Amino acid sequence: MRDGGAYVTARPDAVPAAGRGVRVAAVQVHPDGERLADLVALVDGGVLTTRVAGPHSPAEVAKAHARLAEGGLRGRLVLVP
């Protein structure tokens, strides 16, 4: 992570110590099917966009990890069963 960046985790017990100007925070996530449906509708309507660098099957985990290690990705790598 670059200096001055931000780190957010969904595990409050795994928040690292802050340093190098990095902001750290923990969020708690609760299942909310209704809100998820609202977000899906916004994505389907083009209001929200998702940035996916590429899908990978579980058999391609090593390939996905190598691609991530190369850096320069615009978006997330998604594992699709």
Side-chain angles (χ1 to χ4, degrees):
M1 175 178 312
R2 73 177 191 272
D3 292 352
Y7 178 90
V8 179
T9 182
R11 291 189 51 201
D13 61 330
V15 178
R20 301 183 350 257
V22 174
R23 297 180 320 270
V24 296
V27 295
Q28 290 191 333
V29 180
H30 303 281
D32 186 341
E34 185 177 330
R35 183 64 183 132
L36 180 58
D38 292 342
L39 292 171
V40 169
L42 291 172
V43 170
D44 289 344
V47 176
L48 291 178
T49 58
T50 57
R51 189 177 291 178
V52 177
H56 293 277
S57 71
E60 299 175 312
V61 168
K63 179 181 174 183
H65 189 269
R67 186 169 177 210
L68 182 64
E70 291 173 4
L73 288 177
R74 302 267 308 157
R76 304 295 184 254
L77 297 178
V78 179
L79 294 178
V80 181

Coordinates of all heavy atoms in Angstrom, one line a residue:
M1 N 0.8 -1.2 0.0 CA 0.0 0.0 0.0 C 0.9 1.2 0.0 O 1.9 1.3 0.7 CB -0.9 0.0 1.2 CG -1.7 1.2 1.4 SD -2.8 1.2 2.8 CE -3.6 -0.4 2.6
R2 N 0.5 2.2 -0.7 CA 1.3 3.4 -0.8 C 1.1 4.3 0.4 O 0.1 4.2 1.1 CB 0.9 4.2 -2.1 CG -0.4 4.9 -2.0 CD -0.6 5.7 -3.3 NE -1.8 6.6 -3.1 CZ -3.0 6.3 -3.4 NH1 -3.3 5.1 -3.8 NH2 -4.0 7.1 -3.2
D3 N 2.1 5.1 0.7 CA 2.0 6.1 1.8 C 0.8 7.0 1.6 O 0.5 7.4 0.5 CB 3.3 6.9 1.9 CG 4.5 6.1 2.3 OD1 4.3 4.9 2.7 OD2 5.6 6.6 2.3
G4 N 0.1 7.3 2.7 CA -1.1 8.2 2.6 C -2.3 7.5 2.1 O -3.3 8.2 1.9
G5 N -2.3 6.2 1.9 CA -3.5 5.5 1.4 C -4.5 5.2 2.5 O -4.4 5.7 3.5
A6 N -5.3 4.3 2.2 CA -6.4 3.9 3.1 C -6.5 2.4 3.1 O -6.4 1.7 2.1 CB -7.7 4.5 2.8
Y7 N -6.8 1.8 4.3 CA -7.0 0.4 4.4 C -8.3 0.2 5.2 O -8.5 0.7 6.3 CB -5.8 -0.3 5.2 CG -6.0 -1.7 5.5 CD1 -5.5 -2.7 4.6 CD2 -6.6 -2.2 6.7 CE1 -5.6 -4.0 4.9 CE2 -6.8 -3.5 6.9 CZ -6.3 -4.4 6.0 OH -6.4 -5.8 6.3
V8 N -9.2 -0.6 4.6 CA -10.5 -0.9 5.3 C -10.7 -2.4 5.3 O -10.4 -3.1 4.3 CB -11.6 -0.2 4.5 CG1 -13.0 -0.5 5.1 CG2 -11.4 1.3 4.4
T9 N -11.1 -2.9 6.4 CA -11.4 -4.3 6.6 C -12.7 -4.5 7.1 O -13.3 -3.7 7.8 CB -10.3 -5.0 7.5 OG1 -10.6 -6.4 7.5 CG2 -10.3 -4.4 8.9
A10 N -13.3 -5.7 6.9 CA -14.6 -6.1 7.5 C -14.4 -6.9 8.7 O -15.3 -7.4 9.3 CB -15.4 -6.9 6.4
R11 N -13.1 -7.0 9.1 CA -12.8 -7.8 10.4 C -12.2 -6.8 11.4 O -11.1 -6.5 11.4 CB -11.7 -8.8 10.0 CG -12.3 -9.9 9.2 CD -11.3 -11.1 9.0 NE -10.8 -11.5 10.4 CZ -9.7 -12.2 10.6 NH1 -8.9 -12.5 9.6 NH2 -9.3 -12.5 11.8
P12 N -13.1 -6.4 12.3 CA -12.6 -5.4 13.4 C -11.5 -5.9 14.2 O -10.7 -5.2 14.7 CB -13.9 -5.2 14.2 CG -15.0 -5.6 13.4 CD -14.5 -6.7 12.4
D13 N -11.3 -7.3 14.3 CA -10.2 -7.8 15.1 C -8.9 -7.9 14.3 O -7.9 -8.4 14.8 CB -10.6 -9.2 15.5 CG -10.8 -10.2 14.4 OD1 -11.3 -9.8 13.3 OD2 -10.6 -11.4 14.6
A14 N -8.9 -7.4 13.0 CA -7.7 -7.5 12.2 C -7.3 -6.1 11.6 O -6.8 -6.0 10.5 CB -8.0 -8.5 11.0
V15 N -7.5 -5.1 12.4 CA -7.1 -3.8 12.0 C -5.6 -3.6 12.3 O -5.2 -3.6 13.4 CB -7.9 -2.7 12.7 CG1 -7.5 -1.3 12.2 CG2 -9.4 -2.9 12.4
P16 N -4.8 -3.3 11.2 CA -3.4 -3.1 11.5 C -3.1 -1.8 12.1 O -4.0 -0.9 12.0 CB -2.8 -3.2 10.1 CG -3.9 -2.8 9.2 CD -5.1 -3.2 9.8
A17 N -1.9 -1.6 12.6 CA -1.5 -0.3 13.2 C -1.4 0.7 12.0 O -0.9 0.3 11.0 CB -0.2 -0.5 14.0
A18 N -1.8 1.9 12.3 CA -1.6 3.0 11.3 C -0.1 3.4 11.2 O 0.6 3.3 12.2 CB -2.5 4.2 11.6
G19 N 0.3 3.8 10.1 CA 1.7 4.2 9.9 C 1.8 4.8 8.5 O 1.0 4.5 7.6
R20 N 2.9 5.6 8.2 CA 3.2 6.2 6.9 C 2.0 7.0 6.4 O 1.8 7.1 5.2 CB 3.5 5.1 5.9 CG 4.7 4.2 6.3 CD 5.2 3.2 5.3 NE 4.3 2.9 4.2 CZ 3.5 1.9 4.1 NH1 3.4 1.0 5.1 NH2 2.7 1.7 3.1
G21 N 1.2 7.5 7.3 CA 0.0 8.3 6.8 C -1.1 7.5 6.3 O -2.1 8.1 5.7
V22 N -1.1 6.2 6.5 CA -2.2 5.3 6.0 C -3.3 5.4 7.0 O -3.1 5.2 8.2 CB -1.7 3.9 5.8 CG1 -2.9 3.0 5.5 CG2 -0.6 3.8 4.8
R23 N -4.5 5.6 6.5 CA -5.7 5.6 7.3 C -6.2 4.2 7.4 O -6.3 3.5 6.4 CB -6.8 6.5 6.7 CG -6.4 8.0 6.7 CD -7.6 8.8 6.1 NE -8.3 8.2 4.9 CZ -7.9 8.3 3.7 NH1 -6.9 9.0 3.3 NH2 -8.6 7.8 2.7
V24 N -6.6 3.7 8.6 CA -7.1 2.4 8.8 C -8.5 2.5 9.4 O -8.8 3.4 10.2 CB -6.2 1.5 9.6 CG1 -4.9 1.3 9.0 CG2 -6.0 2.1 11.0
A25 N -9.4 1.5 9.0 CA -10.8 1.5 9.5 C -11.3 0.1 9.4 O -10.9 -0.7 8.5 CB -11.7 2.5 8.7
A26 N -12.3 -0.2 10.2 CA -13.0 -1.4 10.2 C -14.5 -1.1 10.0 O -15.0 -0.2 10.6 CB -12.8 -2.3 11.4
V27 N -15.2 -1.9 9.2 CA -16.6 -1.7 9.0 C -17.2 -3.1 9.3 O -16.6 -4.1 9.2 CB -17.0 -1.4 7.5 CG1 -16.4 0.0 7.2 CG2 -16.5 -2.4 6.5
Q28 N -18.4 -3.0 9.8 CA -19.2 -4.2 10.1 C -20.3 -4.4 9.0 O -20.9 -3.4 8.6 CB -19.8 -4.2 11.5 CG -18.8 -4.2 12.6 CD -19.4 -4.5 13.9 OE1 -20.6 -4.1 14.2 NE2 -18.7 -5.1 14.8
V29 N -20.4 -5.6 8.5 CA -21.3 -5.9 7.4 C -22.4 -6.7 7.9 O -22.2 -7.7 8.6 CB -20.5 -6.6 6.3 CG1 -21.5 -6.9 5.1 CG2 -19.4 -5.7 5.8
H30 N -23.6 -6.4 7.6 CA -24.8 -7.2 8.0 C -25.6 -7.5 6.7 O -25.7 -6.7 5.8 CB -25.7 -6.4 8.9 CG -25.0 -5.9 10.1 ND1 -24.8 -6.7 11.2 CD2 -24.5 -4.7 10.5 CE1 -24.1 -6.0 12.2 NE2 -23.9 -4.8 11.7
P31 N -26.1 -8.7 6.6 CA -26.8 -9.1 5.4 C -28.1 -8.3 5.3 O -28.8 -8.0 6.2 CB -27.2 -10.6 5.6 CG -26.7 -10.9 7.0 CD -26.0 -9.8 7.6
D32 N -28.3 -7.8 4.1 CA -29.5 -6.9 3.8 C -29.9 -7.2 2.3 O -29.5 -6.5 1.4 CB -29.2 -5.5 4.1 CG -30.4 -4.6 4.0 OD1 -31.4 -4.9 3.3 OD2 -30.3 -3.4 4.5
G33 N -30.7 -8.2 2.1 CA -31.2 -8.5 0.8 C -31.9 -7.4 0.1 O -31.7 -7.2 -1.2
E34 N -32.7 -6.6 0.8 CA -33.4 -5.5 0.1 C -32.4 -4.5 -0.4 O -32.6 -4.0 -1.5 CB -34.4 -4.9 1.1 CG -35.3 -3.8 0.5 CD -36.3 -3.3 1.5 OE1 -36.7 -4.1 2.4 OE2 -36.7 -2.1 1.4
R35 N -31.5 -4.1 0.4 CA -30.5 -3.1 0.0 C -29.6 -3.7 -1.2 O -29.3 -2.9 -2.1 CB -29.6 -2.7 1.2 CG -28.6 -1.7 0.8 CD -29.3 -0.3 0.4 NE -28.3 0.6 0.0 CZ -28.3 1.4 -1.0 NH1 -29.4 1.3 -1.8 NH2 -27.4 2.2 -1.3
L36 N -29.3 -4.9 -1.1 CA -28.5 -5.6 -2.2 C -29.3 -5.5 -3.5 O -28.8 -5.2 -4.6 CB -28.2 -7.0 -1.9 CG -27.4 -7.8 -2.9 CD1 -26.1 -7.0 -3.2 CD2 -27.1 -9.2 -2.5
A37 N -30.6 -5.8 -3.4 CA -31.5 -5.7 -4.6 C -31.5 -4.2 -5.2 O -31.5 -4.0 -6.4 CB -32.9 -6.1 -4.3
D38 N -31.5 -3.2 -4.3 CA -31.4 -1.8 -4.7 C -30.1 -1.6 -5.4 O -30.1 -0.9 -6.5 CB -31.5 -0.9 -3.5 CG -32.9 -0.9 -2.8 OD1 -33.9 -1.4 -3.4 OD2 -33.0 -0.4 -1.7
L39 N -29.0 -2.1 -4.9 CA -27.7 -1.9 -5.6 C -27.6 -2.6 -6.9 O -27.1 -2.0 -7.9 CB -26.6 -2.3 -4.7 CG -26.4 -1.5 -3.4 CD1 -25.4 -2.2 -2.5 CD2 -25.9 -0.1 -3.7
V40 N -28.2 -3.8 -7.0 CA -28.2 -4.5 -8.3 C -29.0 -3.7 -9.3 O -28.6 -3.6 -10.5 CB -28.8 -5.9 -8.1 CG1 -29.1 -6.6 -9.4 CG2 -27.8 -6.8 -7.3
A41 N -30.1 -3.1 -8.9 CA -31.0 -2.3 -9.8 C -30.2 -1.1 -10.3 O -30.3 -0.8 -11.5 CB -32.2 -1.9 -9.1
L42 N -29.4 -0.5 -9.4 CA -28.6 0.7 -9.8 C -27.5 0.2 -10.8 O -27.2 0.9 -11.8 CB -27.9 1.3 -8.6 CG -28.9 2.1 -7.7 CD1 -28.2 2.5 -6.4 CD2 -29.6 3.2 -8.4
V43 N -26.9 -0.9 -10.6 CA -25.9 -1.4 -11.6 C -26.6 -1.8 -12.9 O -26.1 -1.4 -14.0 CB -25.2 -2.7 -11.0 CG1 -24.3 -3.4 -12.1 CG2 -24.3 -2.3 -9.8
D44 N -27.7 -2.5 -12.8 CA -28.4 -2.8 -14.1 C -28.9 -1.6 -14.8 O -28.9 -1.6 -16.1 CB -29.7 -3.7 -13.8 CG -29.3 -5.1 -13.3 OD1 -28.1 -5.5 -13.6 OD2 -30.2 -5.8 -12.8
G45 N -29.2 -0.5 -14.1 CA -29.6 0.7 -14.8 C -28.5 1.6 -15.2 O -28.7 2.7 -15.8
G46 N -27.3 1.2 -15.0 CA -26.1 2.0 -15.4 C -25.8 3.2 -14.5 O -24.9 4.0 -14.8
V47 N -26.4 3.3 -13.3 CA -26.2 4.4 -12.4 C -24.8 4.1 -11.7 O -24.0 5.0 -11.5 CB -27.3 4.5 -11.4 CG1 -27.0 5.6 -10.4 CG2 -28.6 4.9 -12.1
L48 N -24.6 2.8 -11.2 CA -23.4 2.4 -10.6 C -22.7 1.5 -11.6 O -23.3 0.8 -12.3 CB -23.6 1.6 -9.4 CG -24.2 2.3 -8.2 CD1 -24.4 1.3 -7.0 CD2 -23.3 3.4 -7.7
T49 N -21.4 1.6 -11.7 CA -20.6 0.8 -12.5 C -19.6 -0.1 -11.7 O -19.2 0.4 -10.6 CB -19.8 1.6 -13.5 OG1 -18.9 2.5 -12.9 CG2 -20.7 2.3 -14.5
T50 N -19.4 -1.3 -12.1 CA -18.5 -2.1 -11.5 C -17.2 -2.2 -12.3 O -17.3 -2.1 -13.6 CB -19.0 -3.6 -11.3 OG1 -19.4 -4.1 -12.6 CG2 -20.2 -3.6 -10.4
R51 N -16.1 -2.4 -11.7 CA -14.9 -2.4 -12.5 C -14.2 -3.8 -12.2 O -13.7 -4.1 -11.2 CB -13.9 -1.3 -12.0 CG -12.7 -1.2 -12.9 CD -11.8 -0.1 -12.5 NE -12.4 1.2 -12.8 CZ -11.9 2.3 -12.5 NH1 -10.7 2.4 -11.9 NH2 -12.5 3.5 -12.8
V52 N -14.4 -4.6 -13.2 CA -13.8 -6.0 -13.1 C -12.7 -6.1 -14.2 O -12.9 -5.9 -15.4 CB -14.9 -7.1 -13.4 CG1 -14.4 -8.5 -13.4 CG2 -16.1 -6.9 -12.4
A53 N -11.5 -6.5 -13.7 CA -10.4 -6.7 -14.6 C -10.5 -8.0 -15.3 O -9.9 -8.2 -16.4 CB -9.1 -6.6 -13.8
G54 N -11.2 -9.0 -14.7 CA -11.3 -10.3 -15.3 C -11.8 -11.3 -14.4 O -11.5 -11.4 -13.2
P55 N -12.6 -12.3 -15.0 CA -13.1 -13.4 -14.2 C -12.1 -14.6 -14.3 O -11.4 -14.7 -15.3 CB -14.4 -13.8 -14.9 CG -14.2 -13.4 -16.3 CD -13.3 -12.2 -16.3
H56 N -12.1 -15.4 -13.2 CA -11.2 -16.6 -13.2 C -12.0 -17.7 -12.5 O -12.7 -17.4 -11.6 CB -9.9 -16.3 -12.5 CG -9.0 -15.3 -13.2 ND1 -8.2 -15.7 -14.2 CD2 -8.9 -14.0 -13.0 CE1 -7.5 -14.6 -14.7 NE2 -7.9 -13.6 -14.0
S57 N -11.8 -18.9 -13.0 CA -12.3 -20.1 -12.3 C -11.5 -20.4 -11.1 O -10.3 -20.0 -11.1 CB -12.4 -21.2 -13.3 OG -11.1 -21.7 -13.6
P58 N -12.0 -21.2 -10.2 CA -11.1 -21.6 -9.1 C -9.9 -22.4 -9.5 O -8.8 -22.3 -8.9 CB -12.1 -22.6 -8.3 CG -13.4 -22.0 -8.6 CD -13.4 -21.6 -10.0
A59 N -9.9 -23.0 -10.7 CA -8.8 -23.7 -11.2 C -7.7 -22.7 -11.6 O -6.5 -23.1 -11.8 CB -9.2 -24.6 -12.3
E60 N -8.1 -21.5 -11.8 CA -7.1 -20.5 -12.3 C -6.6 -19.5 -11.2 O -6.1 -18.4 -11.5 CB -7.8 -19.6 -13.4 CG -8.2 -20.4 -14.6 CD -8.9 -19.5 -15.6 OE1 -9.9 -18.8 -15.2 OE2 -8.6 -19.5 -16.8
V61 N -6.8 -20.0 -10.0 CA -6.4 -19.1 -8.8 C -4.9 -18.7 -8.9 O -4.6 -17.5 -8.7 CB -6.7 -19.8 -7.5 CG1 -6.0 -19.0 -6.3 CG2 -8.1 -19.9 -7.3
A62 N -4.0 -19.6 -9.3 CA -2.6 -19.3 -9.4 C -2.4 -18.2 -10.5 O -1.6 -17.3 -10.3 CB -1.8 -20.5 -9.7
K63 N -3.1 -18.4 -11.6 CA -3.0 -17.4 -12.7 C -3.5 -16.0 -12.3 O -2.9 -15.0 -12.6 CB -3.8 -17.9 -13.9 CG -3.8 -17.0 -15.1 CD -4.6 -17.6 -16.2 CE -4.8 -16.6 -17.4 NZ -5.6 -17.1 -18.4
A64 N -4.6 -16.0 -11.5 CA -5.2 -14.8 -11.1 C -4.2 -14.1 -10.1 O -4.0 -12.9 -10.1 CB -6.5 -15.0 -10.4
H65 N -3.6 -14.9 -9.2 CA -2.7 -14.3 -8.2 C -1.5 -13.7 -8.9 O -1.0 -12.6 -8.6 CB -2.3 -15.4 -7.2 CG -1.5 -14.9 -6.1 ND1 -0.1 -14.8 -6.1 CD2 -1.9 -14.4 -4.9 CE1 0.3 -14.2 -5.0 NE2 -0.7 -14.0 -4.2
A66 N -1.0 -14.4 -9.9 CA 0.2 -13.9 -10.7 C -0.2 -12.6 -11.4 O 0.6 -11.7 -11.4 CB 0.7 -14.9 -11.7
R67 N -1.4 -12.5 -11.9 CA -1.8 -11.3 -12.6 C -1.9 -10.2 -11.6 O -1.5 -9.0 -11.9 CB -3.2 -11.5 -13.3 CG -3.6 -10.4 -14.1 CD -4.8 -10.7 -15.0 NE -5.2 -9.5 -15.7 CZ -6.4 -9.3 -16.1 NH1 -7.4 -10.2 -15.9 NH2 -6.8 -8.2 -16.7
L68 N -2.4 -10.4 -10.4 CA -2.5 -9.4 -9.4 C -1.1 -8.9 -9.0 O -0.9 -7.8 -8.8 CB -3.3 -10.0 -8.2 CG -3.5 -9.1 -7.0 CD1 -4.4 -7.9 -7.4 CD2 -4.2 -9.8 -5.9
A69 N -0.2 -9.9 -8.8 CA 1.2 -9.5 -8.4 C 1.9 -8.6 -9.4 O 2.8 -7.9 -9.1 CB 2.0 -10.8 -8.2
E70 N 1.5 -8.8 -10.7 CA 2.1 -7.9 -11.8 C 1.8 -6.4 -11.6 O 2.5 -5.6 -12.0 CB 1.6 -8.3 -13.1 CG 2.1 -9.7 -13.6 CD 1.5 -10.1 -14.9 OE1 0.7 -9.4 -15.5 OE2 1.8 -11.3 -15.3
G71 N 0.6 -6.2 -10.9 CA 0.2 -4.8 -10.7 C -0.4 -4.2 -12.0 O -0.5 -4.8 -13.0
G72 N -0.9 -2.9 -11.8 CA -1.4 -2.2 -12.9 C -2.8 -2.6 -13.3 O -3.3 -2.2 -14.4
L73 N -3.5 -3.3 -12.5 CA -4.9 -3.7 -12.8 C -5.8 -2.5 -12.6 O -5.7 -1.8 -11.6 CB -5.4 -4.9 -11.9 CG -4.8 -6.2 -12.2 CD1 -5.3 -7.2 -11.2 CD2 -5.1 -6.7 -13.6
R74 N -6.8 -2.4 -13.5 CA -7.9 -1.5 -13.3 C -9.1 -2.3 -13.0 O -9.7 -2.9 -13.9 CB -8.1 -0.6 -14.5 CG -6.9 0.2 -15.0 CD -6.9 1.6 -14.5 NE -8.1 2.3 -14.7 CZ -8.4 3.4 -14.0 NH1 -7.6 3.8 -13.0 NH2 -9.5 4.0 -14.2
G75 N -9.5 -2.5 -11.8 CA -10.6 -3.3 -11.4 C -10.2 -4.5 -10.5 O -9.0 -4.6 -10.2
R76 N -11.1 -5.3 -10.3 CA -10.9 -6.5 -9.4 C -10.9 -7.7 -10.2 O -11.5 -7.9 -11.2 CB -12.0 -6.6 -8.3 CG -12.2 -5.3 -7.5 CD -11.0 -5.1 -6.7 NE -11.2 -4.0 -5.8 CZ -10.6 -2.8 -5.9 NH1 -9.8 -2.6 -7.0 NH2 -10.8 -1.8 -5.1
L77 N -10.2 -8.7 -9.7 CA -10.2 -10.1 -10.2 C -11.3 -10.8 -9.5 O -11.4 -10.8 -8.3 CB -8.9 -10.8 -10.1 CG -7.7 -10.1 -10.8 CD1 -6.4 -10.8 -10.5 CD2 -8.0 -10.0 -12.3
V78 N -12.2 -11.5 -10.3 CA -13.3 -12.1 -9.7 C -13.2 -13.6 -9.9 O -13.0 -14.1 -11.0 CB -14.6 -11.6 -10.3 CG1 -15.8 -12.3 -9.7 CG2 -14.8 -10.1 -10.1
L79 N -13.3 -14.4 -8.8 CA -13.3 -15.9 -8.9 C -14.8 -16.3 -9.1 O -15.6 -16.0 -8.3 CB -12.7 -16.5 -7.7 CG -11.2 -16.2 -7.5 CD1 -10.8 -16.9 -6.2 CD2 -10.4 -16.7 -8.7
V80 N -15.0 -17.0 -10.2 CA -16.4 -17.5 -10.5 C -16.4 -19.0 -10.5 O -15.7 -19.6 -11.3 CB -16.8 -17.0 -11.9 CG1 -18.2 -17.4 -12.3 CG2 -16.7 -15.4 -12.0
P81 N -17.2 -19.6 -9.7 CA -17.3 -21.1 -9.6 C -17.8 -21.7 -10.9 O -18.5 -21.1 -11.7 CB -18.2 -21.4 -8.5 CG -18.9 -20.1 -8.1 CD -18.1 -19.0 -8.8

